[in-house]
C-alpha cells in the first residue's frame, strides 16, 4: 500500500505549513491554489507572533467602537454598510459574541494556540531548515492617552494571570528601549512573550522547501467543483483537470466560504481588508515591533526596513486601494514617533490583503461532520502568520488520526452550521 494522498486547497501560509507537517507524517501532498503564490495574504503581514492576542476580534466594546469608527473614512476598523445577506449574518454572530463570556471561554485556548506556534517557530529556527528572520524582542503596545493606557494595563494584568511575560512601562522606560527615535507616548505594555519574523522570506523559503521535497504545487488552478459521494470527497475539479486523493484540507483564506459551499458546507467568514507599506530608515532605526494602540497601526522592523500596516475593512473582496485608509496609517506614525519622516506611499508601493475573519474571532480547525475525509483550517483573521505552524501541525495530526497537541473543540468548523 502506497502513501496516502492529501490535497490542500489554498496555498497561503496555513496551506504551506499544513503541507510541511503532512510531509513529515509521511503523506503525499499536493497544494492547489487559484493564484500564483505571489499575492497571498501573509506576504504583507506584520509578521508578529502574538501570544498577547488572547482576546478575539469579537470582544467586549467592539460594537460601540465599530459604530463610532464607521463614520470616519480613516478609522482603523470599518464595516461597509450593505444588505449583503452574508455580511448581515456575520454581523449578527459578531454582535452575539462581542461579550465578556466569549472572552472568558476563548482566552486560554487562544493563548495556548499562539504559544504552540511560537514553540514550533523556535524549533524550525534551531533545526536551521528554513530561515525567516525570527527575533525575540517582544512587542510594545504604545499608547498616548490615559483611558487607552488604563484599558491596556487591565489587559496586561489578565495576560500576567494567564502566565504571559509582560512589563508595564512609563514613557521614560519605553524611550530607553527605543534609543534611535523620539517617542511621543504616555507609556506602553511590553509583551516580552511575543516575537516577530520576516513573512516574505518565510513564505518563499517554505515554498522552496516543499518543492524540493516533492510536494506538488499547482498554481492558477481555481476549484470549479467538488465531487462528493456518501459523505466522502472523491475528487476536486479545476478548469484544467480532475484531482483525486484520500484526504482533503480546505484552507482558502478569505475565499474559504465559497469553497466550503461547493462542498455543501456553511462556514461564515468575511474578508477584513488591510494595507501595509515599507519604509527604508536612515539612522532613525526602530528596534522593537509595536502596535500604536489608538490608531491600531502595526510597526515591524524587518529585513533592514520597517513595515507599517493596519486597518480592518469588513466588506466583500475588492481590488480598490482606499487611499484615505492608507492615510490613516501614515498620519499615525509621527503622532507616536515624533520627527520620524516617512513619505506617503504611492499606490504602487501599497500592499493590501484580505484577512479571513470568522464572526466570533476564532479560527476554524477540524473535521466536519458532513464529510468524513475533509479537514477545515482557516478563519485566522489577523493572526494567520502567528497561528500557521500550530494549525499545520494539528492538521497533520488530524490526518494521521493522532491526538492533537491541544483541545480544538472550540474551533469546530461546524459551530455555526
Amino acid at each position: 500500500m502506497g502513501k496516502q494522498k492529501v490535497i490542500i486547497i489554498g496555498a497561503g501560509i496555513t496551506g504551506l505549513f499544513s503541507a510541511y507537517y503532512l510531509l513529515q507524517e509521511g503523506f503525499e501532498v499536493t497544494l492547489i491554489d487559484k493564484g500564483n503564490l505571489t499575492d497571498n495574504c501573509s506576504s504583507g503581514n506584520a509578521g508578529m507572533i502574538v501570544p498577547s492576542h488572547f482576546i478575539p476580534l469579537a470582544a467586549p466594546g467592539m460594537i460601540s467602537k465599530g459604530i463610532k469608527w464607521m463614520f470616519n473614512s480613516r478609522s482603523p476598523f470599518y464595516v461597509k454598510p450593505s444588505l449583503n445577506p452574508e455580511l448581515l449574518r456575520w454581523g449578527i454572530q459578531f454582535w452575539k459574541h462581542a461579550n465578556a463570556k466569549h472572552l472568558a471561554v476563548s482566552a486560554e485556548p487562544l493563548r495556548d494556540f499562539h504559544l504552540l506556534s511560537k514553540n514550533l517557530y523556535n524549533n524550525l529556527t534551531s533545526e536551521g531548515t528554513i530561515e525567516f528572520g525570527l527575533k525575540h524582542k517582544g512587542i510594545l503596545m504604545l499608547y498616548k492617552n490615559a483611558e487607552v493606557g488604563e484599558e491596556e494595563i487591565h489587559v496586561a494584568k489578565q495576560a500576567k494571570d494567564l502566565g504571559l511575560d509582560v512589563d508595564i512601562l512609563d514613557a521614560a522606560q519605553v524611550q530607553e528601549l527605543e534609543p534611535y527615535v523620539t517617542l511621543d507616548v504616555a507609556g506602553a505594555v511590553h509583551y516580552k512573550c511575543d516575537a516577530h519574523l520576516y513573512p516574505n522570506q518565510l513564505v518563499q523559503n517554505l515554498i522552496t522547501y516543499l518543492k524540493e521535497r516533492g510536494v506538488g504545487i499547482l498554481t492558477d488552478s481555481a476549484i470549479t467543483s467538488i465531487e462528493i459521494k456518501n459523505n466522502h470527497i472523491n475528487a476536486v475539479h479545476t478548469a484544467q483537470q480532475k484531482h483525486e486523493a484520500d484526504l482533503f484540507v480546505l484552507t482558502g483564506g478569505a475565499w474559504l466560504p465559497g469553497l466550503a459551499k461547493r462542498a455543501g458546507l456553511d462556514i461564515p467568514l468575511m474578508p477584513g481588508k488591510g494595507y501595509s507599506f515599507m519604509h527604508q530608515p536612515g539612522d532613525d532605526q526602530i528596534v522593537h515591533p509595536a502596535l500604536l494602540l489608538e490608531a491600531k497601526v502595526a510597526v515591524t522592523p524587518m529585513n533592514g526596513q520597517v513595515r507599517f500596516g493596519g486597518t480592518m475593512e469588513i466588506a466583500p473582496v475588492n481590488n480598490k486601494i482606499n487611499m484615505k485608509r492608507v492615510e490613516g496609517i501614515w498620519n499615525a506614525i509621527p503622532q507616536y514617533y515624533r520627527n520620524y519622516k516617512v513619505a506617503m506611499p504611492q499606490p504602487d508601493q501599497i500592499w493590501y490583503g484580505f484577512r479571513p475573519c470568522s464572526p466570533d474571532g476564532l479560527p476554524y480547525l477540524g473535521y466536519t461532520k458532513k464529510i468524513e475525509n475533509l479537514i477545515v483550517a482557516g478563519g485566522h483573521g489577523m493572526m494567520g502568520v502567528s497561528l500557521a505552524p500550530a494549525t499545520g501541525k494539528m492538521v497533520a495530526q488530524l490526518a494521521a488520526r493522532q491526538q492533537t497537541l491541544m483541545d480544538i473543540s472550540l474551533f469546530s468548523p461546524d459551530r455555526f452550521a
Side-chain angles (χ1 to χ4, degrees):
M1 187 178 162
K3 288 183 179 181
Q4 273 204 307
K5 290 184 181 178
V6 182
I7 285 177
I8 301 169
I9 300 165
I13 192 69
T14 301
L16 293 172
F17 266 116
S18 296
Y20 178 88
Y21 288 109
L22 283 162
L23 197 62
Q24 288 195 341
E25 288 292 339
F27 290 94
E28 185 183 318
V29 186
T30 302
L31 282 149
I32 301 178
D33 197 90
K34 67 174 186 54
N36 61 9
L37 306 194
T38 61
D39 57 352
N40 75 42
C41 189
S42 298
S43 295
N45 185 287
M48 294 177 174
I49 301 159
V50 282
S52 59
H53 283 40
F54 56 86
I55 296 176
L57 182 63
M62 274 302 286
I63 299 294
S64 55
K65 282 179 188 170
I67 290 167
K68 182 179 74 178
W69 283 332
M70 274 181 74
F71 300 101
N72 179 356
S73 61
R74 293 176 178 83
S75 70
F77 182 78
Y78 179 69
V79 180
K80 191 174 183 181
S82 164
L83 293 176
N84 175 327
E86 286 175 8
L87 176 60
L88 291 172
R89 182 175 170 232
W90 186 95
I92 289 164
Q93 286 293 346
F94 185 90
W95 176 75
K96 278 184 183 175
H97 287 88
N99 55 55
K101 184 184 171 189
H102 179 56
L103 169 57
V105 169
S106 308
E108 286 191 25
L110 274 179
R111 173 205 63 187
D112 293 346
F113 210 151
H114 285 290
L115 288 172
L116 174 55
S117 259
K118 185 182 166 186
N119 289 338
L120 291 167
Y121 274 126
N122 286 338
N123 293 347
L124 285 170
T125 299
S126 59
E127 288 161 11
T129 43
I130 296 168
E131 178 53 47
F132 46 90
L134 182 64
K135 302 271 191 300
H136 290 280
K137 293 184 177 177
I139 292 173
L140 293 171
M141 307 291 181
L142 300 175
Y143 59 85
K144 291 181 68 70
N145 73 57
E147 188 188 345
V148 172
E150 208 174 292
E151 276 180 34
E152 194 57 33
I153 288 165
H154 174 69
V155 173
K157 286 174 179 166
Q158 288 177 275
K160 283 184 174 181
D161 289 343
L162 286 166
L164 297 174
D165 189 6
V166 189
D167 278 349
I168 296 165
L169 309 173
D170 62 24
Q173 288 170 313
V174 188
Q175 186 62 74
E176 271 183 49
L177 289 176
E178 288 294 345
Y180 309 112
V181 290
T182 305
L183 291 172
D184 186 0
V185 297
V189 171
H190 187 196
Y191 281 92
K192 295 192 285 188
C193 53
D194 290 358
H196 72 286
L197 52 78
Y198 183 34
N200 307 58
Q201 186 183 28
L202 173 65
V203 169
Q204 283 312 312
N205 286 350
L206 263 175
I207 290 167
T208 302
Y209 178 93
L210 294 171
K211 282 181 174 174
E212 284 174 353
R213 282 152 186 83
V215 171
I217 302 181
L218 307 176
T219 55
D220 302 307
S221 300
I223 299 296
T224 54
S225 65
I226 297 176
E227 203 178 291
I228 301 169
K229 191 173 180 184
N230 300 329
N231 303 326
H232 188 95
I233 298 178
N234 292 329
V236 294
H237 295 257
T238 64
Q240 295 88 346
Q241 65 190 110
K242 174 180 177 177
H243 302 275
E244 296 177 335
D246 302 295
L247 184 69
F248 295 81
V249 180
L250 196 56
T251 62
W255 288 265
L256 177 62
L259 288 164
K261 267 187 190 149
R262 293 191 189 280
L265 302 174
D266 181 15
I267 299 179
L269 186 145
M270 286 301 294
K273 191 177 190 180
Y275 299 93
S276 73
F277 53 88
M278 301 298 284
H279 167 67
Q280 182 72 57
D283 296 331
D284 49 354
Q285 296 284 342
I286 292 172
V287 178
H288 295 80
L291 289 175
L292 316 182
L293 289 177
E294 289 87 353
K296 295 282 189 285
V297 167
V299 181
T300 318
M302 56 173 74
N303 197 39
Q305 296 178 289
V306 180
R307 177 168 286 167
F308 295 98
T311 85
M312 175 70 88
E313 184 181 323
I314 304 290
V317 168
N318 65 82
N319 294 315
K320 291 176 186 164
I321 292 176
N322 184 333
M323 290 305 287
K324 284 189 174 176
R325 306 205 72 71
V326 179
E327 264 177 44
I329 299 169
W330 180 71
N331 284 337
I333 299 164
Q335 291 172 30
Y336 295 79
Y337 301 95
R338 195 188 297 152
N339 306 323
Y340 193 82
K341 299 282 190 291
V342 178
M344 175 69 186
Q346 296 304 303
D348 64 349
Q349 298 170 309
I350 297 162
W351 174 93
Y352 63 89
F354 304 98
R355 309 178 190 98
C357 298
S358 69
D360 60 0
L362 300 177
Y364 295 110
L365 178 60
Y367 282 99
T368 168
K369 288 174 190 164
K370 278 192 175 179
I371 300 170
E372 62 190 13
N373 65 332
L374 177 68
I375 297 167
V376 176
H380 295 87
M382 295 182 289
M383 304 179 293
V385 164
S386 187
L387 295 176
T391 302
K393 178 73 175 172
M394 290 192 284
V395 163
Q397 290 177 319
L398 288 164
R401 301 288 175 176
Q402 299 167 0
Q403 180 75 38
T404 51
L405 286 168
M406 61 175 282
D407 179 5
I408 58 169
S409 53
L410 194 66
F411 310 124
S412 166
D414 295 321
R415 65 184 183 267
F416 297 107

